[in-house]
Amino acid sequence: RRLPERTSMTSVVRGLLVSGAGGDSVEQLADRLCTTTRTVSRRLAAEGTSYQRLRDELRELRAKECLRNTEIGLTEIALSV
């Protein structure tokens, strides 16, 4: 399944990362999208972001959520994200 050119790559990648379906690397994500890592990187760059930046943002959001909603210690949170 190919993405139409007008689809925001940022929203697609973010959605896959949040759902856990994006895999652990840009290569796995590109395979999931039936495209190349270069195309993923190029389209994200055109939208002003990168795969690593999106992963980092998600990690930060998860850490903040854990800090707000649990009694888990900082070390455990750091290891979980």
Side-chain angles (χ1 to χ4, degrees):
R1 154 191 126 171
R2 289 206 160 281
L3 291 174
E5 281 299 315
R6 68 186 186 287
T7 301
S8 164
M9 182 61 80
T10 301
S11 63
V12 170
V13 171
R14 188 176 281 129
L16 288 171
L17 290 174
V18 167
S19 73
D24 294 323
S25 68
V26 69
E27 292 82 9
Q28 289 177 346
L29 179 92
D31 285 346
R32 174 106 170 120
L33 296 174
C34 300
T35 191
T36 65
T37 58
R38 177 68 186 123
T39 296
V40 171
S41 297
R42 182 176 39 79
R43 288 188 60 188
L44 288 174
E47 295 172 15
T49 193
S50 69
Y51 175 78
Q52 190 60 50
R53 184 175 293 147
L54 293 174
R55 281 185 59 104
D56 290 346
E57 287 173 6
L58 178 60
R59 232 179 253 126
E60 181 181 348
L61 288 172
R62 286 182 176 160
K64 287 177 179 178
E65 186 70 22
C66 285
L67 288 169
R68 273 194 295 272
N69 296 321
T70 67
E71 299 296 321
I72 299 172
L74 291 177
T75 302
E76 288 180 64
I77 291 171
L79 293 173
S80 73
V81 297

